[in-house]
Amino acid sequence: MSNNKKQDYLADTKSEFMALANTIDEVILRLDNIIADSIKYNSRAGYFACLYRKMTIAVKQGIAQGYFEDAARMEKLDVAFANRYLEAYDLYAQKKIITQSWHFAFEAQNNPITVIQHLLLGMNAHINLDLGIAAAQISKGSDIHQLQRDFNKINEVIGSLINSVQTDLEDICFPMKFVRFIDNKSKDAVINFSMKIARDTAWANALAISMHPENSWNTYFAGLDKNIALVAGNITRPKFSESLVLKMVQYFEPKSVAKIISCLKD
């Protein structure tokens, strides 16, 4: 993206910034706008937005089908969770301070890394950091353990999308099939193992946050963010065996951001 075009983008969308969502439908609309802007401005920010849109629609369907114990609470969690990403996206575009984890993910949009690494950076910031914070925030004044079963269910919904995401990535780039075998512990190890850690971390963080007095939360968030940003560094600088496969994947990936977004969104 050229400097002039980036400046135009900021000017064009500034009036829409900070319009956080109140409902799941509003979250989906915001994600649609981010995806459309990403196609228009050739921005890799659209990669994670596509993945997150699928997750949000799946949660919405789960609520409609009575999958969760408390539908109203689940929508409240989903919206609070999404707003942390939407706010980070908006603030970064305005060159304002955001969490280190999201800053790392957004800055990487200009780096020569693979689509899967972009997705993992977004999941790292959003699930490792944001999900635990959102869970603690909506549980203020109540026993957070009452949320655990639905919290586990929302993560089951996220996890159920893994095969779909893997298939999308293989459609984008055939060598992505080899990524399944980087870690012999699981055919989906590169994505799913990281997400399992993220899900477990999010609940542990939610419990830890809830045990701290609210006036100390921001300090605690900052410490979490610092550690989670270190994980982002590992994603962009993988171990040697993973690096070799990812370099091959990157060589064969389409060069068109719009084409990749189209595959991820469908």
Side-chain angles (χ1 to χ4, degrees):
M1 183 185 300
S2 69
N3 289 336
N4 288 338
K5 198 165 189 179
K6 185 172 183 180
Q7 290 171 358
D8 290 342
Y9 165 67
L10 294 177
D12 289 345
T13 57
K14 186 175 180 181
S15 62
E16 298 178 6
F17 286 162
M18 306 311 295
L20 298 182
N22 295 301
T23 66
I24 289 183
D25 285 336
E26 289 180 9
V27 171
I28 295 170
L29 179 60
R30 280 297 315 271
L31 293 170
D32 284 339
N33 290 339
I34 291 172
I35 292 167
D37 285 340
S38 296
I39 293 172
K40 182 177 180 181
Y41 296 103
N42 202 42
S43 169
R44 295 180 181 88
Y47 298 167
F48 179 74
C50 287
L51 172 61
Y52 196 36
R53 183 180 184 275
K54 286 185 176 182
M55 291 181 180
T56 305
I57 290 174
V59 171
K60 178 183 176 181
Q61 291 171 343
I63 291 173
Q65 294 165 3
Y67 180 65
F68 301 104
E69 292 182 354
D70 188 328
R73 182 181 60 193
M74 182 49 57
E75 178 158 11
K76 184 178 179 182
L77 173 59
D78 189 83
V79 171
F81 181 36
N83 276 336
R84 289 194 58 84
Y85 161 64
L86 297 175
E87 184 176 39
Y89 177 87
D90 292 345
L91 291 174
Y92 177 78
Q94 296 181 81
K95 300 182 180 180
K96 294 184 178 179
I97 295 174
I98 59 174
T99 61
Q100 293 180 52
S101 305
W102 272 120
H103 188 267
F104 207 116
F106 291 137
E107 284 289 293
Q109 292 166 19
N110 298 316
N111 292 348
I113 59 176
T114 62
V115 175
I116 183 62
Q117 287 170 289
H118 284 294
L119 295 179
L120 288 172
L121 285 170
M123 289 189 285
N124 175 59
H126 201 40
I127 300 176
N128 270 339
L129 182 65
D130 291 345
L131 183 54
I133 292 174
Q137 288 175 332
I138 72 153
S139 298
K140 285 189 295 186
S142 63
D143 181 1
I144 193 172
H145 290 89
Q146 295 175 357
L147 176 64
Q148 186 171 9
R149 291 180 66 177
D150 274 349
F151 184 92
N152 290 338
K153 286 183 177 182
I154 196 172
N155 283 302
E156 289 171 7
V157 170
I158 295 172
S160 70
L161 295 171
I162 295 303
N163 286 336
S164 173
V165 172
Q166 179 73 25
T167 300
D168 289 343
L169 293 173
E170 290 173 6
D171 288 342
I172 292 170
C173 175
F174 175 79
M176 267 300 299
K177 290 181 182 291
F178 297 108
V179 173
R180 291 178 180 267
F181 304 106
I182 287 178
D183 187 333
N184 292 327
K185 294 179 182 178
S186 167
K187 68 176 183 178
D188 298 319
V190 171
I191 302 175
N192 203 30
F193 184 63
S194 296
M195 284 195 66
K196 181 182 184 305
I197 293 174
R199 294 195 299 268
D200 293 345
T201 299
W203 182 246
N205 287 343
L207 292 178
I209 292 166
S210 68
M211 290 187 284
H212 282 72
E214 191 174 343
N215 60 9
S216 69
W217 278 13
N218 286 339
T219 301
Y220 189 77
F221 294 167
L224 283 178
D225 182 34
K226 183 177 180 180
N227 291 330
I228 292 166
L230 294 176
V231 177
N234 293 334
I235 292 170
T236 57
R237 297 183 297 274
K239 62 186 181 182
F240 182 71
S241 59
E242 292 181 350
S243 179
L244 290 178
V245 175
L246 291 173
K247 286 183 182 298
M248 177 180 64
V249 168
Q250 184 182 17
Y251 180 81
F252 286 99
E253 281 182 349
K255 306 309 175 189
S256 168
V257 169
K259 182 176 180 180
I260 293 173
I261 289 175
S262 177
C263 289
L264 290 171
K265 185 179 179 182
D266 293 340

